[in-house]
Amino acid sequence: MAGFSLRTSGNWLMNELGVYSILGSSRDSKILCLQRFVRLFAYGASTLILALYLSAINVTDERIGLFMTMTIWGDVVISFILTLFADSLGRRRTLMLGAALMTGSGIVFAFTGNYWLLVIASILGVISPNGNEIGPFKAIEESTLSQLTSAAIRSDIFAWYTLLGNAGTACGIIICGWLVEWLQRLDNWTPVRAYRIIFGIYAFLGLIKLALSLMLSDKCEPEAEKQNYQQITELNNVEIESLLSSDDDDSNSPHETRPNSKSKPLPPTPPSSQPKTLKSFLPTISPHSRSILWKLCFLFSFDSFASGLAPTSWLTYFFTTKFSLPEGFLGTLFFTTSIIAALSNLVASSISKRIGLIKTM
């Protein structure tokens, strides 16, 4: 009896935490969650040392602030463009392009200390100043996960998607912190050299993310395009059957004219391949969804404004210059905060099932 009660309690806990949901999710959903872990691992590692690296190559505080500002504004523009046309260009292609930009940024930071080259690499590429999401990845992955999962388990999948991201940030920060501190203890290892090793790892993680994007199936693409392709294929098949039927009728009775009522109607003509205009690439959003979208955008922008006042890279720089804290200690500190944030997502998923998503927020 006690064993049965323990097993029942275990099943209840696994269901509440969404373990069964993530284990039973599709292969593409698991790959997307793994991509987020790898990406946030790289973001966490680079964020811990970004401001310290710029300071070590003799960049002033004012120019570091300018660097952070231009990086975020560049990300806003490029991410907006890529996510806006992602469904038309292909979600997998856009994710691969973002991974390639991420790799390119890591290579530039690993091999040069020129301030303006670093600015260009951070604007055109993908470098996170605060350890949070940057680039087109999150919007594309979340829309894909919504398409791949049913409404009943969607909150569980998103909870694990967020948890793995926070866990990736935590692991990246603590490993980066202690690795940099260990490298600086070696002979002839300067802080700049140690920091560039981290950016080399960042570029390598971009390649891993690129490989994971290649593993995604066509189920990740927008349903509308696949549905249109299927309709066109069906129309072509009907047209072929109609032609074959017509040929059979002609071969059986070459001189007989059949009534029009018994002849098969021609299928509608598939859309002609005309040059696509700029508007055709834009996503179609209903007026009702657009209203909700604007409200969410305002909410998220307000939250991001508060986060932007104290990004992680500036906090690490402050703790280092003010209190002379080593990188290993900083990594442990931010690892702890990231793990707490990660675990809170599982609790939020359980609460949202009872009171709803908006009230949980």
Side-chain angles (χ1 to χ4, degrees):
M1 187 67 179
F4 176 77
S5 177
L6 183 62
R7 184 167 60 251
T8 303
S9 301
N11 290 334
W12 175 85
L13 182 62
M14 296 278 280
N15 185 65
E16 283 296 316
L17 297 180
V19 177
Y20 292 140
S21 299
I22 190 65
L23 292 178
S25 62
S26 64
R27 175 176 174 271
D28 289 325
S29 298
K30 294 184 177 71
I31 292 176
L32 290 172
C33 291
L34 181 59
Q35 278 195 48
R36 180 173 167 85
F37 176 85
V38 172
R39 183 174 68 254
L40 269 294
F41 184 99
Y43 289 172
S46 63
T47 298
L48 186 70
I49 61 165
L50 181 58
L52 297 176
Y53 173 66
L54 294 175
S55 178
I57 58 176
N58 300 319
V59 177
T60 62
D61 292 352
E62 292 77 10
R63 298 185 83 180
I64 293 177
L66 178 63
F67 174 90
M68 301 292 181
T69 302
M70 289 191 292
T71 298
I72 295 176
W73 273 112
D75 168 66
V76 169
V77 175
I78 293 179
S79 298
F80 178 75
I81 294 174
L82 289 178
T83 52
L84 193 64
F85 298 103
D87 286 353
S88 299
L89 298 176
R91 291 175 179 173
R92 289 176 296 173
R93 290 194 190 99
T94 307
L95 290 175
M96 285 184 272
L97 176 60
L101 293 174
M102 179 178 171
T103 301
S105 298
I107 292 174
V108 172
F109 273 75
F111 288 100
T112 185
N114 183 279
Y115 176 77
W116 291 109
L117 285 179
L118 296 178
V119 169
I120 294 173
S122 63
I123 292 176
L124 299 180
V126 181
I127 289 288
S128 175
N130 54 8
N132 295 328
E133 280 289 3
I134 195 170
F137 308 111
K138 184 179 179 182
I140 298 174
E141 289 174 351
E142 287 183 345
S143 60
T144 305
L145 284 173
S146 297
Q147 176 180 307
L148 294 174
T149 57
S150 62
I153 64 171
R154 192 167 295 153
S155 61
D156 291 338
I157 299 301
F158 276 111
W160 278 96
Y161 173 80
T162 307
L163 179 144
L164 289 172
N166 291 334
T169 302
C171 294
I173 286 177
I174 192 170
I175 291 176
C176 168
W178 287 106
L179 178 60
V180 167
E181 188 171 339
W182 176 76
L183 289 174
Q184 292 184 54
R185 293 175 182 172
L186 301 178
D187 293 336
N188 300 322
W189 275 82
T190 62
V192 173
R193 188 180 179 186
Y195 296 152
R196 287 178 175 173
I197 292 295
I198 300 301
F199 287 114
I201 297 174
Y202 183 93
F204 176 72
L205 292 173
L207 292 177
I208 294 179
K209 190 185 180 311
L210 178 61
L212 291 173
S213 299
L214 290 170
M215 296 171 62
L216 294 172
S217 69
D218 59 353
K219 295 179 181 178
C220 297
E221 300 299 341
E223 292 181 337
E225 289 189 3
K226 293 188 290 184
Q227 184 178 3
N228 292 338
Y229 174 80
Q230 183 179 4
Q231 290 175 351
I232 293 174
T233 304
E234 291 175 353
L235 290 175
N236 290 336
N237 292 336
V238 173
E239 186 175 9
I240 292 173
E241 292 177 1
S242 176
L243 292 174
L244 292 175
S245 176
S246 177
D247 292 341
D248 293 340
D249 293 342
D250 292 342
S251 61
N252 293 334
S253 304
H255 302 291
E256 183 179 354
T257 302
R258 292 186 175 272
N260 293 335
S261 60
K262 294 184 179 180
S263 62
K264 290 185 177 181
L266 291 176
T269 304
S272 59
S273 56
Q274 298 178 354
K276 290 186 176 181
T277 61
L278 180 63
K279 187 176 180 180
S280 64
F281 284 94
L282 300 178
T284 303
I285 304 176
S286 65
H288 177 68
S289 298
R290 194 178 297 116
S291 174
I292 299 175
L293 176 64
W294 282 115
K295 295 176 183 178
L296 289 175
C297 286
F298 175 77
L299 176 63
F300 294 152
S301 63
F302 191 74
D303 177 68
S304 298
F305 176 80
S307 301
L309 295 176
T312 304
S313 54
W314 271 123
L315 289 176
T316 59
Y317 182 69
F318 169 75
F319 283 127
T320 301
T321 56
K322 182 70 175 177
F323 303 104
S324 301
L325 297 180
E327 288 84 356
F329 184 86
L330 290 174
T332 303
L333 174 64
F334 287 103
F335 168 82
T336 304
T337 59
S338 297
I339 288 297
I340 294 174
L343 295 177
S344 67
N345 289 287
L346 293 181
V347 180
S349 174
S350 179
I351 295 175
S352 66
K353 295 176 183 178
R354 292 167 170 78
I355 66 176
L357 294 173
I358 301 300
K359 292 182 178 179
T360 304
M361 292 173 62

